[in-house]
Amino acid sequence: MSCCDHDKKAWSREQFEAKLRGMEKYYHIHHPMHTLMNEGKLTKQQLQGWVANRYYYQIMIPIKDANILANCPDRKTRAKWIQRILDHDGSPDDPGGIEAWIQLGLAVGLSREEITSQKHVLPGVRFAVDAYVNFARRADWHEAASSSLTELFAPKIHQQRLDNWPELYPWVEDEGYTYFRKRLSEARRDVEHGLELTLDWYKTREQQERMLDILKFKLDVLWSMADAMYLAYIVEMPPYFNIDRQA
C-alpha cells in the first residue's frame, strides 16, 4: 500500500464522528451577530430583526424534511423522520415549533402579522434558506438527511439563550423561551437518529469527505443568514440602502 493509499483509508466510525463534531468551529454561534447577541449587545430592534428573519428558516424546515421523506424509500427511516415535521408544524397535542417561534416574536415586541407576513425577511436570508430546501429536494435522501447534523451543535446555543437572555434582555417575556426549551430535547433526539444514519451510510473515505462538504454547505447556509442580518442590522446597510441616494 502506497502512502497516498494509506492517507485515503476510510476513517473509523469514531474518527468520522470526531471529524463531524469538529465542524462546530464553522457553526454560526461564532458569527459576530451571535457573539453580540450572546453578550447582550443587541438592541431591541436588532433582536427583533433576527427573530423576524429566522422565522423564514423555521417555516421552511418542515418543507425541507417533507422533501427528504418524499425521496426516502425506507419505511423505518420515514417513521422516525416524520416526527421532525410534527415538531415544527404541530399536532393535536402540541402547537409546534413554528408557533413557539411566533411566541418568541411576540415576546420581543413584534406583532403576529409582522412575523408571519415575512415583510422583514432579508433577500440574503431568503436566498440562503431556499438554497437549503432546494438541496434537500434534489439530493440523495441520505445526503439531505445528513445535512441536518448541524443539530449536533444546536443544544449549546439554545442553552446559552436560556441561561443568559433573562439577565441580558430582561424585557423579553418569559413565554418567548418555549422554543428553546423544546429544542433542547428535540435536537438531541434528532441528532441521535441523524448521526446513526450518517455513520452507517458513509463507509469509504471519499464518501466521508463528501459528507463533510455537505455539512459545511449547511453551516454556510446558517452563516450566510447571519451575514445578511449583520449587514442590515449592525452595519446598518439593509438591501438597496443606496438606491434612493443614487436616484
Side-chain angles (χ1 to χ4, degrees):
M1 181 181 291
S2 70
C3 177
C4 290
D5 289 336
H6 178 73
D7 289 344
K8 286 298 181 181
K9 180 181 178 181
W11 292 310
S12 69
R13 193 178 182 91
E14 293 73 21
Q15 289 173 322
F16 186 28
E17 181 175 345
K19 293 284 186 183
L20 293 170
R21 292 186 181 277
M23 298 292 282
E24 192 269 348
K25 63 186 176 183
Y26 300 112
Y27 193 49
H28 62 176
I29 194 173
H30 304 297
H31 192 283
M33 183 77 184
H34 288 276
T35 300
L36 291 170
M37 185 188 302
N38 191 51
E39 293 174 348
K41 295 179 179 177
L42 293 189
T43 66
K44 184 174 184 177
Q45 184 180 20
Q46 289 166 344
L47 196 59
Q48 288 175 339
W50 174 74
V51 173
N53 276 271
R54 177 82 181 196
Y55 173 76
Y56 186 66
Y57 179 81
Q58 300 303 134
I59 63 172
M60 296 302 284
I61 288 300
I63 296 174
K64 176 268 298 184
D65 287 320
N67 278 295
I68 294 173
L69 285 176
N71 292 329
C72 177
D74 183 67
R75 179 184 175 187
K76 290 182 178 179
T77 299
R78 294 199 306 269
K80 286 186 176 182
W81 205 270
I82 198 170
Q83 183 60 46
R84 295 170 182 249
I85 296 178
L86 298 176
D87 287 343
H88 282 80
D89 283 343
S91 63
D93 299 324
D94 178 10
I98 292 174
E99 178 58 31
W101 195 267
I102 292 173
Q103 292 302 313
L104 174 60
L106 298 176
V108 300
L110 295 168
S111 69
R112 182 177 287 268
E113 189 277 332
E114 275 187 288
I115 304 161
T116 59
S117 68
Q118 303 175 35
K119 66 181 181 181
H120 297 304
V121 177
L122 300 165
V125 169
R126 191 180 297 275
F127 190 86
V129 174
D130 288 352
Y132 181 41
V133 175
N134 286 330
F135 169 78
R137 181 179 294 121
R138 297 169 182 168
D140 173 83
W141 75 267
H142 295 95
E143 294 189 348
S146 295
S147 70
S148 298
L149 274 181
T150 48
E151 292 162 334
L152 279 167
F153 321 122
K156 179 179 178 180
I157 202 169
H158 295 322
Q159 190 63 59
Q160 277 187 350
R161 293 165 186 158
L162 289 170
D163 289 343
N164 64 23
W165 273 31
E167 180 180 351
L168 298 175
Y169 305 105
W171 48 269
V172 176
E173 298 175 6
D174 186 66
E175 291 79 3
Y177 296 115
T178 300
Y179 177 84
F180 303 135
R181 296 189 185 105
K182 281 172 56 68
R183 288 307 297 166
L184 278 177
S185 58
E186 292 172 355
R188 291 188 178 105
R189 179 206 65 212
D190 292 345
V191 163
E192 183 178 348
H193 183 218
L195 192 58
E196 180 184 13
L197 285 174
T198 298
L199 296 177
D200 285 346
W201 181 253
Y202 300 89
K203 294 298 188 183
T204 69
R205 179 64 171 274
E206 182 180 13
Q207 290 173 331
Q208 292 167 337
E209 290 179 344
R210 165 69 178 162
M211 174 51 217
L212 292 180
D213 289 340
I214 292 168
L215 186 55
K216 181 60 166 52
F217 160 71
K218 172 60 186 307
L219 289 162
D220 287 347
V221 166
L222 297 173
W223 196 273
S224 295
M225 290 169 60
D227 279 345
M229 288 184 269
Y230 188 89
L231 190 65
Y233 302 122
I234 308 300
V235 183
E236 298 184 349
M237 287 176 57
Y240 318 118
F241 74 100
N242 59 341
I243 297 299
D244 289 340
R245 188 175 67 213
Q246 287 182 345

